[in-house]
Amino acid sequence: ITEEHTGVNIIIYMRVSSKIEPFYKGGKVQISQDEQYIFCTCGPRVNILQIDTGKIIHSIEQDDQEDITSFSLSPDDEILVTASRALLLKQWDWKQEKCTRSWRAIHNVPVASMTFDCTSTLLATGGCDGTIKLWDVVKQYCTHNLKGSSGVVHLVEFHPDISRLQLFSSSVDCGIRIWDLRTSKCICVLESHYSAVTSLAFSPDGQTLISSGRDKICSVWDLKKKAVKRTVPVYEAVEGVVVLPGKSDYSQMGVKGEGLHFVTAGSKGVLRVWDSSSARCVFTQTLPDAPALNTEEADLDPYWACFSLLMKFVGYNDDILDVKFLGKDDTHIVVATNSSQLKVFELATNSCQILYGHTDTILSIDVFRKGSMFASCAKDKSLRLWKMDLKSGHVHCVAQGSGHSNAVGSVACSRLKKGFLVSGSQDCTIKMWDLPDPLPDVGCEPVLMTARLTERAHDKDVNSVTISPNDKLLASGSQDRTAKLWSLADMSLLGIFRGHSRGVWCVQFSPVDQVLATASADGSIKIWSIQEFSCLRTFEGHDASVLKVIFVSRGTQLVSSGSDGLVKLWTIKTNECVKTFDAHQDKVWALHGSSKDDLMVTGSADSTITLWKECEMKQSKLCFVLHVIHAIINDGIQELEKTLLKLRQDQKESVLRFSVVWNTNSRSCLDAQAVLQVLLTHLSPEEILQYQGTRTHLEGLIPYTERHMQRIGRLLQASMFLDYMWQKMVLPGGPRLPWDLLSSRLETCGKFSPGR
């Protein structure tokens, strides 16, 4: 089939460009010795993050899907060992994502901690059964079994001087045990902490130990005397401690002299440098827009300085409620999650900036036209205005406003000029806010905004507000099942759009035509004339609520997202869904298109943010072959078998590839399934696996086929009600009607047709 015969039909569609997925939900984090990778756990996986790009380059996953309880990377960066709830230890060549060895941990319960010695040959594992085992990973046998700890051994650490052959451990009794590996005996228990010991760090000469705990103290130990030299009150639960290496200049952090200094990281979210000899904090890291610290440590004399933050990665985002492109060339995205903080991601590196200000869950975001300013609203009944420094990428709050009596669920920014905002609330009102002029500089307190107009707009919650491209009209959508059109000049009501059977979740103006799109909980999308307030188009295809809708391809197509986890691309002219994307596992709350109309971003309750890139696809062959297949099927399945089995291998491969695309659309899925039935019935697995990309094609078929089966199952279940009703129908004073007589009488009444 040639393009001369069919013509070329160019279809614009989206493909996944990148994702920001959950990669860390708590637990151990380790950085490779070459400082290029971060290793962290996430359920049954150890994820390896490349620091420069912020991308997950490897994911080591347990075959049995059991959660990983502990892991350790050898100092030479060659060996990774993991422990799971299945009581197995696995040794990995992590660069190849290949398990090289697996053995029983001998522990009776899961392994809680592990570490390598400096030679990368000895591995220590601490178990929840109170025992510690040492393993020779080269000769592959257990060398020691150390008993005597109380409860879970959550911390093990070798002394850096291998000639000492000492191992340090801590368990639930809060003591630090020192083990002599020559005799397998505990030679001392260091007692100072009253809560769990979280980290150990050794001085460069190996004579001093720093221990940290959740009891808000750090202890400095003399390992010769095995006694506390000094107790340092740090006024926060400390999770990690590191000794500053010697022979370096740390004067910018207030370090004076050659004494031992160490860094703590704890519950306040900042790094602090301490002088071990004086027990004083000499440096406290300052973070932009961070909440103010509770300075209860009045006796400290901190040296405040600028600390350069290189990267910040967010391992878990919770539910994604809204997301918008940000920056002059859409270089960033701003994300509202199920929290009171906003997150701004740099797309090139996935580095994140966290914005503080709201005190409750942020529900909606909108961005001004040039992308350097945006507004947010939240359950705390307020909205805030934010501005990005285009050179540094730093974002700060410049204004805030309050006045609603309930949660603010939607906000919209003016399109032509940065002049005003509109907010919609669960108090059923809409407010218009003027922006302050001039805006405050960086570092200044946000100015207060006051509402210029307030209008009671709906009978129930206002779910969505949007402003027309010319800044003259406002549309609102509500739980009262209506959308309304307003004049922004005086907030007068121009008309009401009625037709949805459930609440309206989203309203959106077309960028080119005088129409409005609405998305509803009734599973449909409607396009309305804003002059006649009549419905021009109705799009149906989602199995649940449609949460967001946007115009793309210069107003010729729609993209919608729903509670069914699907993203759908619609062509307005033909009124059909041309592509369905199954990239999320839960409700897709967030959807936004870039300023150049070539990128799209979606966010879901599955904590995943997906970036989509616009592509062009020639569908001449695809559509033509579908029509041919449909015509053959009308002549019978036997004709389809004869036709397909006569094709060459490359032609069968093309038909299989086309079927994967047809299967994504409910209108063409039956044709796709008929083709698949023939190919999978008459071709052997060996023959099918010879086709290029077979595995990818078959994996792409599974989720959509399951959805089709679920839809058919629901239809069959619903039809059972009709069957039951027919069986129970009895004429007054007469016998039960047979089916053929009943259907004929219904046809006569004009209320029934056999096709339905």
Side-chain angles (χ1 to χ4, degrees):
I1 303 170
T2 63
E3 292 179 355
E4 287 80 7
H5 294 151
T6 63
V8 178
N9 182 23
I10 302 297
I11 301 295
I12 304 298
Y13 75 104
M14 313 297 290
R15 65 173 177 84
V16 175
S17 174
S18 61
K19 285 189 176 186
I20 300 176
E21 298 180 282
F23 64 87
Y24 175 64
K25 295 182 180 180
K28 183 177 179 178
V29 175
Q30 187 173 349
I31 298 179
S32 60
Q33 289 294 316
D34 59 12
E35 300 177 2
Q36 293 186 20
Y37 307 102
I38 295 175
F39 292 70
C40 55
T41 57
C42 186
R45 302 187 303 274
V46 173
N47 290 316
I48 297 125
L49 184 80
Q50 189 170 26
I51 295 176
D52 290 344
T53 64
K55 307 295 184 185
I56 301 295
I57 60 166
H58 298 295
S59 188
I60 308 299
E61 188 166 1
Q62 295 284 125
D63 295 334
D64 53 14
Q65 292 298 305
E66 291 283 351
D67 283 355
I68 291 175
T69 58
S70 186
F71 75 92
S72 187
L73 178 69
S74 61
D76 60 7
D77 289 345
E78 294 297 324
I79 301 173
L80 176 70
V81 177
T82 62
S84 71
R85 292 190 181 276
L87 307 183
L88 284 177
L89 292 173
K90 290 193 174 185
Q91 184 174 320
W92 302 83
D93 179 353
W94 61 271
K95 295 175 183 176
Q96 302 296 326
E97 296 186 17
K98 181 181 178 181
C99 179
T100 58
R101 182 189 169 212
S102 178
W103 72 97
R104 299 291 297 179
I106 307 179
H107 292 279
N108 298 322
V109 287
V111 172
S113 58
M114 67 170 67
T115 188
F116 275 94
D117 74 336
C118 61
T119 65
S120 300
T121 59
L122 224 77
L123 175 73
T125 58
C128 295
D129 55 3
T131 65
I132 302 169
K133 293 176 172 42
L134 272 69
W135 310 84
D136 189 321
V137 295
V138 177
K139 298 181 180 178
Q140 302 183 359
Y141 71 99
C142 180
T143 63
H144 297 74
N145 184 17
L146 308 178
K147 298 180 180 180
S149 299
S150 301
V152 178
V153 181
H154 59 263
L155 182 63
V156 286
E157 197 74 47
F158 284 97
H159 193 283
D161 185 357
I162 192 61
S163 63
R164 290 197 180 197
L165 285 177
Q166 287 182 346
L167 179 73
F168 292 71
S169 70
S170 184
S171 59
V172 295
D173 61 3
C174 307
I176 302 170
R177 284 176 168 78
I178 305 176
W179 303 85
D180 186 345
L181 300 184
R182 294 183 179 88
T183 62
S184 298
K185 301 287 187 183
C186 176
I187 59 176
C188 182
V189 179
L190 307 179
E191 295 180 335
S192 171
H193 291 278
Y194 297 96
S195 186
V197 178
T198 55
S199 183
L200 301 175
F202 296 89
S203 62
D205 61 6
Q207 301 299 321
T208 304
L209 172 70
I210 310 288
S211 63
S212 65
R214 297 194 179 111
D215 51 6
K216 302 184 180 182
I217 64 169
C218 287
S219 297
V220 183
W221 302 87
D222 185 332
L223 291 182
K224 283 186 176 180
K225 299 178 180 178
K226 297 183 175 54
V228 177
K229 290 201 298 186
R230 186 172 292 277
T231 298
V232 182
V234 294
Y235 302 100
E236 65 173 331
V238 178
E239 297 299 323
V241 61
V242 175
V243 172
L244 285 179
K247 300 181 180 179
S248 296
D249 182 15
Y250 301 108
S251 58
Q252 77 278 9
M253 293 190 294
V255 175
K256 301 174 182 177
E258 298 182 355
L260 185 66
H261 292 76
F262 60 92
V263 184
T264 59
S267 58
K268 293 183 178 178
V270 294
L271 301 178
R272 295 204 261 181
V273 181
W274 303 81
D275 186 341
S276 64
S277 59
S278 64
R280 299 184 72 82
C281 176
V282 297
F283 171 80
T284 301
Q285 179 191 23
T286 57
L287 295 178
D289 289 319
L293 294 177
N294 181 15
T295 55
E296 59 184 312
E297 53 271 30
D299 60 331
L300 299 183
D301 183 21
Y303 175 88
W304 300 96
C306 180
F307 197 94
S308 177
L309 180 65
L310 191 62
M311 294 276 193
K312 182 186 288 186
F313 300 112
V314 175
Y316 183 69
N317 283 305
D318 210 344
D319 292 8
I320 308 297
L321 301 183
D322 204 359
V323 59
K324 292 290 189 292
F325 283 101
L326 186 65
K328 184 179 179 181
D329 297 312
D330 301 321
T331 55
H332 295 69
I333 56 173
V334 55
V335 180
T337 63
N338 195 21
S339 72
S340 59
Q341 294 91 38
L342 285 166
K343 298 180 177 73
V344 178
F345 289 90
E346 184 181 8
L347 293 176
T349 64
N350 284 355
S351 182
C352 178
Q353 181 184 165
I354 298 178
L355 307 180
Y356 301 88
H358 286 288
T359 58
D360 206 340
T361 303
I362 298 169
L363 299 176
S364 180
I365 311 166
D366 199 24
V367 182
F368 285 94
R369 186 179 177 185
K370 292 185 179 180
S372 63
M373 287 177 57
F374 65 95
S376 62
C377 61
K379 285 185 178 180
D380 60 8
K381 309 174 189 177
S382 74
L383 61 156
R384 283 178 173 260
L385 183 66
W386 308 81
K387 185 176 181 181
M388 169 185 272
D389 185 330
L390 295 178
K391 292 183 178 180
S392 65
H394 173 63
V395 179
H396 64 282
C397 181
V398 294
Q400 59 183 346
S402 59
H404 284 287
S405 61
N406 209 330
V408 187
S410 181
V411 64
C413 300
S414 55
R415 300 302 176 211
L416 294 180
K417 296 182 293 184
K418 299 175 183 177
F420 62 93
L421 299 170
V422 176
S423 60
S425 168
Q426 291 179 13
D427 62 10
C428 307
T429 67
I430 292 173
K431 289 180 181 288
M432 182 184 292
W433 310 76
D434 287 324
L435 269 60
D437 187 24
L439 294 171
D441 295 330
V442 177
C444 297
E445 286 294 318
V447 298
L448 294 178
M449 296 186 295
T450 55
R452 172 159 54 97
L453 290 171
T454 300
E455 183 72 29
R456 182 173 175 82
H458 290 272
D459 296 330
K460 292 185 178 180
D461 300 359
V462 180
N463 291 332
S464 177
V465 290
T466 186
I467 296 172
S468 63
N470 61 2
D471 278 353
K472 292 183 178 180
L473 301 174
L474 170 74
S476 61
S478 168
Q479 282 296 106
D480 64 9
R481 300 178 292 180
T482 67
K484 294 184 179 182
L485 189 68
W486 309 81
S487 170
L488 280 172
D490 56 1
M491 223 43 160
S492 60
L493 179 63
L494 301 178
I496 302 176
F497 305 96
R498 291 188 175 93
H500 285 293
S501 59
R502 297 186 68 182
V504 177
W505 277 112
C506 182
V507 289
Q508 197 71 238
F509 283 104
S510 167
V512 292
D513 298 316
Q514 293 187 3
V515 296
L516 178 76
T518 58
S520 169
D522 62 13
S524 71
I525 304 156
K526 292 181 182 291
I527 291 185
W528 310 80
S529 166
I530 62 174
Q531 294 178 333
E532 300 175 359
F533 303 100
S534 59
C535 180
L536 305 176
R537 289 276 196 279
T538 298
F539 303 87
E540 295 180 331
H542 284 279
D543 293 333
S545 301
V546 185
L547 302 174
K548 280 286 171 66
V549 62
I550 60 171
F551 286 89
V552 295
S553 306
R554 291 161 290 281
T556 61
Q557 292 181 303
L558 291 172
V559 177
S560 62
S561 64
S563 294
D564 53 9
L566 297 178
V567 177
K568 289 179 177 287
L569 177 66
W570 311 81
T571 297
I572 296 175
K573 185 177 181 180
T574 61
N575 211 78
E576 66 177 349
C577 175
V578 295
K579 190 74 175 173
T580 299
F581 306 97
D582 189 10
H584 293 284
Q585 305 300 318
D586 209 334
K587 297 180 182 69
V588 184
W589 287 106
L591 172 66
H592 190 233
S594 65
S595 57
K596 295 182 180 178
D597 207 17
D598 59 342
L599 295 173
M600 184 177 76
V601 64
T602 55
S604 168
D606 62 6
S607 187
T608 300
I609 301 168
T610 304
L611 190 69
W612 308 77
K613 190 173 184 179
E614 185 180 274
C615 297
E616 291 184 351
M617 179 172 63
K618 294 183 179 180
Q619 282 208 327
S620 54
K621 286 186 178 181
L622 195 64
C623 297
F624 188 84
V625 174
L626 177 60
H627 291 310
V628 171
I629 292 292
H630 188 72
I632 295 174
I633 291 175
N634 288 338
D635 294 334
I637 195 69
Q638 294 80 10
E639 290 297 320
L640 182 65
E641 290 181 3
K642 293 178 183 178
T643 305
L644 291 179
L645 296 178
K646 288 179 182 178
L647 298 178
R648 301 189 308 269
Q649 179 175 324
D650 62 319
Q651 293 173 329
K652 293 176 183 175
E653 181 182 325
S654 297
V655 172
L656 177 62
R657 187 172 67 253
F658 290 167
S659 297
V660 176
V661 179
W662 300 334
N663 195 52
T664 63
N665 194 318
S666 58
R667 298 191 180 193
S668 56
C669 68
L670 294 179
D671 299 317
Q673 292 293 327
V675 171
L676 293 170
Q677 181 184 359
V678 172
L679 294 178
L680 297 178
T681 302
H682 292 84
L683 301 181
S684 66
E686 292 77 14
E687 187 175 355
I688 294 177
L689 288 173
Q690 291 178 1
Y691 297 168
Q692 184 177 2
T694 299
R695 184 179 298 275
T696 303
H697 297 329
L698 295 180
E699 288 177 351
L701 287 168
I702 294 173
Y704 291 100
T705 301
E706 289 176 346
R707 290 181 186 273
H708 298 323
M709 289 297 295
Q710 291 170 3
R711 189 178 69 254
I712 293 172
R714 289 192 299 270
L715 180 62
L716 181 63
Q717 186 178 13
S719 68
M720 292 297 181
F721 173 74
L722 286 176
D723 186 55
Y724 173 79
M725 185 174 64
W726 290 327
Q727 294 296 328
K728 296 297 181 181
M729 275 184 144
V730 179
L731 284 176
R736 183 172 290 134
L737 281 174
W739 165 244
D740 55 352
L741 180 59
L742 174 64
S743 62
S744 64
R745 291 194 180 183
L746 288 171
E747 285 185 66
T748 304
C749 296
K751 298 178 180 178
F752 175 80
S753 65
R756 295 187 67 185

